[in-house]
Amino acid sequence: MHLAAIAPHIKLSLQASDNAESAVFGRGVAQLCRGVRETGSLNKAAKNMGMAYSKAWRIVKNTEEAFGVLLLERNGAHGSTLTADGERILDLYDKLQRDAARYAAQRLVELSSEYEE
């Protein structure tokens, strides 16, 4: 195998610091939050992901409880919007994900050079 054909794949998640067993804010929750921001609806965001609304609701609710913040403002029949906390956490997650991916790609190049002939 040629080392140049290898690329890192980072799966980042954020977790409540006081509870190692708590729900996490990871790729799925981030995708739901982005979907709500784009569509104005958790139901539409879930459907776009091929997920049942009840599952999306449960994931968001569990994450909100674990973090002690509201991610979404529910407006009944008018849909949902991200709260300021939801926007902040999503922004932090996205920045950390980009930074981690950039670091991992750079570090892989550095480490791979040790194995080149």
Side-chain angles (χ1 to χ4, degrees):
M1 176 184 344
H2 215 310
L3 291 178
I6 298 173
H9 179 76
I10 304 297
K11 289 186 178 184
L12 178 72
S13 62
L14 305 175
Q15 188 171 25
S17 59
D18 61 347
N19 186 350
E21 300 298 317
S22 70
V24 297
F25 188 103
R27 195 170 43 197
V29 179
Q31 191 172 349
L32 282 171
C33 287
R34 280 189 217 96
V36 168
R37 184 173 22 187
E38 293 166 11
T39 67
S41 165
L42 180 59
N43 190 30
K44 286 180 187 174
K47 283 183 181 173
N48 289 343
M49 293 175 63
M51 181 185 296
Y53 172 76
S54 59
K55 181 176 181 180
W57 169 253
R58 188 172 56 253
I59 289 168
V60 170
K61 185 176 181 229
N62 288 344
T63 303
E64 288 177 334
E65 288 175 4
F67 282 47
V69 299
L70 287 179
L71 298 173
L72 305 180
E73 181 72 39
R74 287 112 177 138
N75 302 317
H78 301 290
S80 298
T81 56
L82 283 179
T83 63
D85 285 333
E87 288 282 357
R88 257 189 304 272
I89 293 171
L90 179 59
D91 188 46
L92 288 169
Y93 175 84
D94 286 341
K95 287 177 180 176
L96 282 170
Q97 181 67 40
R98 279 191 303 272
D99 288 352
R102 192 176 311 120
Y103 173 77
Q106 176 185 353
R107 188 68 176 129
L108 180 62
V109 169
E110 294 168 2
L111 292 172
S112 295
S113 68
E114 296 175 10
Y115 298 97
E116 290 181 5
E117 297 172 10

